[in-house]
Amino acid sequence: MSEDQKRLLEQQLWNIANTLRGKMNADEFRDYILGFIFYKYLSEKMEMFANEILKQDKIIFRDITPKNSQAKEFLAAIKDEALEKLGYFLTPEELFAEVAKRGRGKNEEDVEKFDEKKTNFILEDLQKILTNIQLSTMGTDSEEDFDNLFEDMDLNSTKLGKTPEARNAIIAKVLTHLDKIDFKLKDTEADVLGDSYEYLIGQFASGAGKKAGEFYTPQEVSKILAKIVTTGKQKLKSVYDPTCGSGSLLLRVAREVKEVSNFYGQEMNRTTYNLARMNMILHGVHYRKFDIKQEDTLEHPQHIEKQFEAIVANPPFSAQWSANPIFTSDDRFSQYGKLAPSSKADFAFVQHMVYHLAENGCMAVVLPHGVLFRGSSELHIRKYLIENKNYLDAVIGLPANIFYGTSIPTCILVFKKCRENPNDILFIDASNDFEKVKTQNILRDKHIAKIIDTYRTRETIDKYSYAASIKEIAENEYNLNIPRYVDTFEKEEEIDIEAVMNEIKTLESKRSELDKQIEVYFTELGLVF
């Protein structure tokens, strides 16, 4: 698919989203449009899978109707295979295309001429089908991954329309729109739907303001984190994100290597947790290869026995947490002798992640700049990580205003338990490398490449990067504020006072000549000067 075709598809999807939007907030209509796209994906995947099985019988899945004498036999066999391989099951009449067709009623496929009065009522059927997808997994290995996956899609919500007929009409129109789009699922080389889904999530994030941080990390930042933790690796046994949002960061890591065996994540927000599971399945990650849990990561960790080869995260900046004294005996925090303050959980997330990091692993986490220099317990934790453990590998300063909903400058901390360069810590000041687009600062590919190349070579570049010795950091009392190590001060050009005075004298002389000239003109005009 060419870039032009991709952009056209993305625009089509966004137009469909706006058809549905009405007066809803971005995060509300997001749940519907992404849910419908996911339903379409499950349907097309189901149909492709079933048709492959039925090929030898020379029939297609949609032809299996109650009138078919072997219908029950065929469907039972397909269901068993589908639950094992796909993790769910849909009957032919439950397929997206069939529901869209029924909803369209007497309307033509041309949505521009769509007449709401010609639609058939499908709301009850559709709600039942979405429930049936989940029910089909009951008692199987995929049950947890599909549990309440469509719970945020309330088709009876008055936000979709005041009357059932109005709600039905708008949904029938959206399904008709989506039914016309070919996501090219048969093309295994192109992830058209996955890319489109990511595009929509990004668009919703830009319209959701502060709420965007709950589910989305800008792709440019995701790319930096992913490239850092995959440095020198082609395969990963596991990747983990303790605050995984929509799962985009985990999936970004997978794009940097040939294979990721298992994906792990935890997310506190229920709606975002559903989005993450949909995102995994939609990107072709088998239900047995991902383990996404819904809970508060710090208070109720769900993967406590595991260690991971790659860890990435964009935790909520300076969030509150309980800092309950009971955590002083928790293995994640006990060795430090101090807990992160209850008003700022940044280092609690770092401690949690370090605990889960495998000996051969690498972790990269986005944090606010305050973690570099704040005192008290945070200084104590910083010092322990550097002096006692020597896990901190790099500090990367990012530009301000690159995240949705906040303009504060951020940094990336990189940690390794077995460091290749144990005698120094690399500091990179990338805060001035960006492009301003409207109200947002954007990192372009050249900016990302410079950060990654510098991290991998650990090169000292004037006013950009510096490898500080552990001794130097100790002398700075474990203050990691980047300007202490990377001097970005631009020396002002010296002013030649004598030359300036001479220029002023010349200007004064010219002004005097002009005054005389003006006086002549005024005299000629008979005016008093």
Side-chain angles (χ1 to χ4, degrees):
M1 177 177 265
S2 70
E3 280 301 311
D4 285 344
Q5 288 173 313
K6 185 180 172 186
R7 274 194 289 272
L8 181 62
L9 172 62
E10 289 171 348
Q11 191 56 54
Q12 281 179 299
L13 288 172
W14 190 240
N15 289 342
I16 295 169
N18 281 323
T19 297
L20 181 63
R21 181 172 186 171
K23 294 179 180 178
M24 283 189 277
N25 294 326
D27 56 321
E28 290 173 328
F29 79 99
R30 174 198 73 202
D31 301 331
Y32 288 99
I33 193 67
L34 295 181
F36 286 136
I37 291 173
F38 183 61
Y39 167 42
K40 176 178 165 72
Y41 168 82
L42 293 180
S43 295
E44 293 184 8
K45 202 78 173 171
M46 179 72 233
E47 189 172 9
M48 285 165 54
F49 179 77
N51 284 340
E52 192 62 34
I53 293 173
L54 294 166
K55 193 182 283 185
Q56 59 189 18
D57 296 294
K58 296 182 179 177
I59 59 170
I60 61 173
F61 191 48
R62 289 198 209 187
D63 287 345
I64 301 176
T65 65
K67 295 177 182 178
N68 188 314
S69 59
Q70 293 179 287
K72 283 187 179 180
E73 186 182 333
F74 278 132
L75 290 178
I78 292 168
K79 183 174 183 178
D80 287 343
E81 288 263 0
L83 289 174
E84 172 63 25
K85 298 284 172 56
L86 302 179
Y88 65 95
F89 177 71
L90 284 160
T91 62
E93 62 269 20
E94 291 176 331
L95 294 175
F96 182 96
E98 293 298 310
V99 176
K101 185 179 176 183
R102 291 201 296 275
R104 193 158 56 239
K106 295 178 182 178
N107 279 291
E108 300 295 323
E109 288 190 32
D110 185 358
V111 287
E112 299 303 321
K113 300 175 182 177
F114 203 85
D115 185 348
E116 295 178 3
K117 293 176 183 177
K118 293 180 180 179
T119 60
N120 288 329
F121 197 78
I122 55 169
L123 279 193
E124 288 178 7
D125 270 359
L126 184 53
Q127 196 78 65
K128 189 176 178 182
I129 289 166
L130 298 180
T131 303
N132 284 347
I133 293 172
Q134 179 197 330
L135 292 176
S136 74
T137 70
M138 297 288 277
T140 70
D141 291 344
S142 61
E143 181 178 354
E144 186 181 345
D145 298 311
F146 284 83
D147 181 44
N148 288 316
L149 209 46
F150 294 99
E151 68 181 344
D152 294 304
M153 291 177 65
D154 179 7
L155 302 184
N156 292 309
S157 171
T158 53
K159 289 173 182 174
L160 289 168
K162 289 183 178 179
T163 65
E165 291 73 26
R167 295 193 284 275
N168 185 76
I170 194 74
I171 288 171
K173 189 174 183 179
V174 168
L175 296 189
T176 300
H177 262 299
L178 284 173
D179 194 38
K180 290 178 67 182
I181 294 178
D182 180 9
F183 286 123
K184 303 186 186 300
L185 295 190
K186 289 178 182 176
D187 184 355
T188 55
E189 294 301 310
D191 190 8
V192 175
L193 182 53
D195 289 347
S196 302
Y197 208 71
E198 287 292 325
Y199 164 80
L200 281 177
I201 291 172
Q203 287 294 99
F204 288 124
S206 66
K210 286 188 176 181
K211 286 188 178 181
E214 294 174 8
F215 63 88
Y216 191 69
T217 301
Q219 280 293 310
E220 307 86 47
V221 179
S222 293
K223 197 182 288 189
I224 295 170
L225 297 175
K227 286 181 180 294
I228 286 172
V229 299
T230 56
T231 296
K233 299 192 176 185
Q234 292 297 313
K235 293 182 179 181
L236 289 173
K237 289 180 183 176
S238 58
V239 59
Y240 171 60
D241 183 346
T243 55
C244 69
S246 63
S248 301
L249 193 41
L250 289 169
L251 291 163
R252 180 71 237 187
V253 172
R255 292 172 69 168
E256 298 298 328
V257 289
K258 291 178 181 176
E259 182 187 341
V260 175
S261 299
N262 290 287
F263 298 82
Y264 296 87
Q266 192 165 332
E267 173 55 42
M268 186 164 65
N269 181 287
R270 179 75 194 185
T271 298
T272 312
Y273 161 67
N274 290 339
L275 189 57
R277 291 184 295 162
M278 286 185 189
N279 210 4
M280 286 286 150
I281 295 166
L282 198 135
H283 277 82
V285 179
H286 194 274
Y287 68 88
R288 285 200 179 95
K289 291 185 69 174
F290 72 85
D291 181 10
I292 309 288
K293 302 287 189 185
Q294 193 233 331
E295 257 299 354
D296 185 314
T297 300
L298 297 179
E299 307 289 341
H300 305 287
Q302 298 295 299
H303 303 96
I304 202 68
E305 302 300 323
K306 296 187 180 296
Q307 286 197 310
F308 308 104
E309 192 174 354
I311 301 179
V312 284
N314 173 25
F317 300 151
S318 300
Q320 294 186 337
W321 74 303
S322 72
N324 192 318
I326 198 170
F327 284 127
T328 55
S329 59
D330 185 309
D331 288 345
R332 295 173 296 163
F333 312 109
S334 57
Q335 61 184 303
Y336 297 85
K338 295 263 187 177
L339 294 175
S342 59
S343 60
K344 295 178 178 67
D346 304 309
F347 268 110
F349 281 110
V350 170
Q351 290 168 309
H352 171 89
M353 293 166 71
V354 166
Y355 173 80
H356 282 291
L357 185 64
E359 290 298 318
N360 68 332
C362 178
M363 70 176 247
V365 55
V366 183
L367 296 165
H369 264 233
V371 300
L372 302 177
F373 53 79
R374 289 194 297 246
S376 194
S377 60
E378 292 183 291
L379 168 59
H380 180 90
I381 295 167
R382 239 183 1 253
K383 183 178 178 181
Y384 185 86
L385 285 165
I386 297 168
E387 184 182 54
N388 295 65
K389 291 297 186 181
N390 197 11
Y391 287 166
L392 183 60
D393 195 50
V395 177
I396 303 168
L398 298 175
N401 204 31
I402 57 171
F403 285 89
Y404 298 112
T406 179
S407 60
I408 65 168
T410 54
C411 62
I412 295 172
L413 298 189
V414 184
F415 293 89
K416 288 182 177 181
K417 288 186 175 176
C418 295
R419 299 211 295 132
E420 297 88 347
N421 302 276
N423 298 320
D424 58 50
I425 295 171
L426 180 68
F427 287 81
I428 297 174
D429 186 351
S431 62
N432 296 313
D433 287 13
F434 62 87
E435 186 177 312
K436 192 168 185 64
V437 178
K438 295 181 181 176
T439 58
Q440 205 79 19
N441 292 335
I442 303 291
L443 290 167
R444 296 299 184 196
D445 285 344
K446 63 180 182 181
H447 304 133
I448 294 168
K450 186 178 179 183
I451 291 170
I452 299 303
D453 289 347
T454 306
Y455 170 73
R456 289 175 177 171
T457 61
R458 299 184 82 83
E459 181 185 358
T460 292
I461 300 171
D462 188 40
K463 302 188 187 309
Y464 186 77
S465 63
Y466 176 71
S469 68
I470 302 297
K471 182 184 176 186
E472 194 174 344
I473 288 164
E475 288 170 353
N476 273 306
E477 297 178 332
Y478 300 94
N479 185 321
L480 303 177
N481 207 13
I482 297 171
R484 285 181 176 242
Y485 306 96
V486 181
D487 181 11
T488 57
F489 179 74
E490 294 287 347
K491 190 177 179 182
E492 290 186 12
E493 190 179 338
E494 286 188 11
I495 298 170
D496 187 336
I497 299 297
E498 191 175 336
V500 171
M501 291 301 293
N502 288 334
E503 188 178 353
I504 290 171
K505 285 177 182 177
T506 303
L507 290 170
E508 286 287 348
S509 176
K510 285 182 179 178
R511 194 183 75 170
S512 179
E513 288 295 321
L514 282 170
D515 284 345
K516 288 177 182 177
Q517 191 77 41
I518 291 169
E519 187 177 357
V520 171
Y521 293 147
F522 268 68
T523 303
E524 290 176 357
L525 291 168
L527 299 172
V528 178
F529 180 66

